[in-house]
Amino acid sequence: MKRTMTIICMLAFAAFANVQSEFLLALSGYDCELVKWVENDYESGEQFKHYAKVACNDKYRLPLKIAGLKFMDISKSLAGKFIYTYGEQ
């Protein structure tokens, strides 16, 4: 009985997993850091469910979709880092 309840609790937790932790886990293979994370808020005049900006030292071929967030834009900062923007509306 304890085993069954443990499995049910694990499945329930997996169903409500944190999107930010999944996003960070997907970035762990790259030399990148999360610069900005916004949930359920407006960014640049648009409402986003999740919005993330990632800074990388080198230009990588990051996936088009990470943890449900779609790739939106890439830019280069004054410090020479590449800024990738992901969002889910």
Side-chain angles (χ1 to χ4, degrees):
M1 185 69 178
K2 286 184 182 181
R3 228 180 242 165
T4 306
M5 289 303 292
T6 304
I7 291 172
I8 290 172
C9 288
M10 288 174 52
L11 290 174
F13 179 73
F16 298 106
N18 189 357
V19 176
Q20 184 177 8
S21 62
E22 288 180 35
F23 190 82
L24 288 172
L25 184 63
L27 288 178
S28 64
Y30 303 97
D31 184 24
C32 300
E33 62 181 330
L34 184 64
V35 176
K36 186 174 188 177
W37 181 265
V38 176
E39 289 187 16
N40 298 324
D41 201 5
Y42 287 93
E43 185 65 37
S44 302
E46 294 184 42
Q47 184 176 6
F48 287 95
K49 188 174 181 181
H50 302 321
Y51 179 84
K53 282 198 179 251
V54 179
C56 299
N57 292 329
D58 296 321
K59 192 170 185 178
Y60 293 111
R61 286 196 88 143
L62 292 178
L64 291 177
K65 200 169 193 181
I66 299 177
L69 279 75
K70 294 179 186 177
F71 172 77
M72 295 170 42
D73 188 28
I74 183 172
S75 61
K76 194 168 184 181
S77 70
L78 294 175
K81 292 189 176 192
F82 292 92
I83 308 295
Y84 295 87
T85 305
Y86 283 87
E88 177 186 6
Q89 295 180 338

